[in-house]
Amino acid sequence: MGAQGSKQGGQVKKKKYKGHLIQTLDQHDGGINCMSLSEDGSVLATGSEDKMARLWSTKTEECECIGILQGHEDYITCIIMEDNFVVTGSADKTIRKWDICTCDCVLIFSGHSSPVNRIICTGDFIFSSSYDRTSRCWDFDSAECVRIFSGHKRGVYPMVFIPADEEDVNVDTFDWEGNKDILITGSADFTARSWSFETGKTLKIFKGHTGTITCMGADPAGQILYTGSTDTTVKSWNIAKGENLKTFEGHNAPVLCMSVQNKILYTGSSDWTGKSWVVEFGDCTRTYKGHKHSVSCIKFCDGLFITGSGDGMARVFDSKSGSQQRIMKGHSTSINCVQW
């Protein structure tokens, strides 16, 4: 199943090798800024400019709205689904936790002094970033703020959390006693920072970009960080040492989004293209062309590379050959998010 979010509030379901519009969901009264799909793929959550989130059934004969999450005082910026809950971040400076079954708001996380930009969830904790130059860690069950990560000089955008108990993480590479769990944040101050979860203190500052860091990712082993920036480049870093390893050059405008898939990195840019890169060497192997506006969101699934754009269209490419498989049309304005 594929979906697109825009001011039209649409959703497109994609059967194998088909690209025709099946259904449009238009109950939102404003642009759709974010989407999240449940782990089993049966529920889609959308967050909108209309200050509301909605839940949609995706495995019924026709998709329909099965819940409205209402309570935020400003537009919703980010949304995630965790177990039987939906978590939303908003320009009203708060985060809310909702029960999927009842659609009740069960917790409000207050503390940020500016709009919330991003949220990630580890199960026990929620991490948030904000224009107020901080990231915060919250207890998932009590809404208590347990850490404030302060040090950036401008707003904080993407985040990556690297837990020490992941099987793939080589904890021997981290030589900071008591600092096994790592939070990494990217900022409009042109830097990324790694933080000790235990102490809330900065461990390393990743300097080198000359523009806002808009997106980030990490390799499966939790040893290499990738940062995309408005300076048109992607950089890779040794997380333990804070050293720049490679600079990926090829985009001609800001890098807006990225996805790390084992040894391949996928990016989308304001230069109207998507690209794939071999992370070991920093070489661009494919350029995905066709859009007439910024590639604002991307998704990788089953060998397919999906792009959503400011031109109101989504495109599906064969990730290896770069050939375009389908064009999905129907939105009247920019696509902000895609789900598969």
Side-chain angles (χ1 to χ4, degrees):
M1 187 277 292
Q4 307 170 6
S6 80
K7 291 184 179 179
Q8 190 173 331
Q11 179 191 8
V12 175
K13 297 179 71 175
K14 175 180 178 299
K15 295 182 179 179
K16 191 174 182 182
Y17 303 120
K18 301 292 183 182
H20 57 275
L21 177 66
I22 293 178
Q23 189 178 351
T24 299
L25 308 180
D26 56 4
Q27 283 92 324
H28 276 297
D29 293 325
I32 297 175
N33 296 327
C34 48
M35 298 194 299
S36 181
L37 197 61
S38 63
E39 188 174 355
D40 64 0
S42 65
V43 178
L44 177 73
T46 55
S48 172
E49 292 281 329
D50 64 11
K51 308 177 186 178
M52 292 185 289
R54 287 178 179 263
L55 305 179
W56 313 84
S57 64
T58 61
K59 292 191 174 180
T60 50
E61 185 174 351
E62 287 192 353
C63 297
E64 58 184 357
C65 182
I66 56 175
I68 300 175
L69 312 181
Q70 191 168 1
H72 278 297
E73 297 177 359
D74 211 331
Y75 62 87
I76 294 175
T77 58
C78 45
I79 191 167
I80 55 176
M81 302 184 75
E82 182 72 19
D83 295 330
N84 295 318
F85 299 97
V86 175
V87 182
T88 54
S90 170
D92 68 9
K93 310 173 188 177
T94 70
I95 299 161
R96 287 176 178 251
K97 176 181 172 182
W98 312 81
D99 186 296
I100 290 179
C101 297
T102 65
C103 293
D104 292 333
C105 178
V106 294
L107 287 173
I108 301 176
F109 303 72
S110 300
H112 280 298
S113 58
S114 293
V116 176
N117 288 325
R118 314 279 174 87
I119 50 177
I120 57 177
C121 186
T122 65
D124 294 326
F125 300 101
I126 295 171
F127 292 88
S128 59
S129 65
S130 170
Y131 286 113
D132 66 11
R133 306 179 185 182
T134 71
S135 288
R136 289 175 178 252
C137 176
W138 314 81
D139 185 277
F140 186 82
D141 295 321
S142 69
E144 177 187 359
C145 181
V146 297
R147 293 285 185 280
I148 300 176
F149 305 94
S150 179
H152 282 296
K153 294 179 173 60
R154 294 184 183 177
V156 184
Y157 297 96
M159 298 176 291
V160 173
F161 181 71
I162 301 177
D165 59 359
E166 272 193 7
E167 294 181 1
D168 291 335
V169 173
N170 182 1
V171 296
D172 293 335
T173 62
F174 298 99
D175 57 356
W176 312 297
E177 184 177 357
N179 293 331
K180 302 302 184 184
D181 291 331
I182 307 297
L183 175 70
I184 304 175
T185 55
S187 170
D189 66 9
F190 305 172
T191 72
R193 288 177 179 247
S194 60
W195 310 82
S196 165
F197 175 71
E198 297 298 324
T199 66
K201 295 181 179 180
T202 298
L203 299 173
K204 300 292 179 182
I205 302 177
F206 304 85
K207 297 181 179 179
H209 281 296
T210 58
T212 297
I213 294 178
T214 56
C215 50
M216 297 195 308
D219 73 320
Q223 299 178 29
I224 299 175
L225 173 70
Y226 302 96
T227 55
S229 171
T230 57
D231 66 12
T232 77
T233 71
V234 173
K235 291 181 180 289
S236 61
W237 312 80
N238 181 300
I239 293 177
K241 298 179 180 179
E243 296 177 351
N244 181 210
L245 301 175
K246 290 180 177 63
T247 299
F248 302 65
E249 297 180 311
H251 280 300
N252 299 316
V255 179
L256 302 179
C257 47
M258 70 166 57
S259 177
V260 182
Q261 301 292 330
N262 297 317
K263 297 180 180 180
I264 303 296
L265 172 69
Y266 295 91
T267 56
S269 168
S270 295
D271 65 9
W272 304 1
T273 72
K275 290 181 180 289
S276 62
W277 314 77
V278 178
V279 296
E280 183 178 358
F281 305 108
D283 295 335
C284 178
T285 59
R286 293 285 183 275
T287 298
Y288 307 92
K289 299 180 179 180
H291 284 296
K292 303 301 181 184
H293 206 286
S294 299
V295 176
S296 51
C297 47
I298 59 176
K299 200 79 174 179
F300 178 87
C301 183
D302 297 333
L304 298 176
F305 180 55
I306 302 100
T307 56
S309 171
D311 63 13
M313 291 187 286
R315 294 175 185 261
V316 181
F317 299 88
D318 182 280
S319 62
K320 292 184 177 180
S321 69
S323 63
Q324 183 174 277
Q325 304 295 302
R326 286 291 183 270
I327 302 175
M328 297 181 180
K329 301 179 181 180
H331 289 291
S332 60
T333 187
S334 175
I335 294 176
N336 300 318
C337 44
V338 295
Q339 280 291 344
W340 183 275

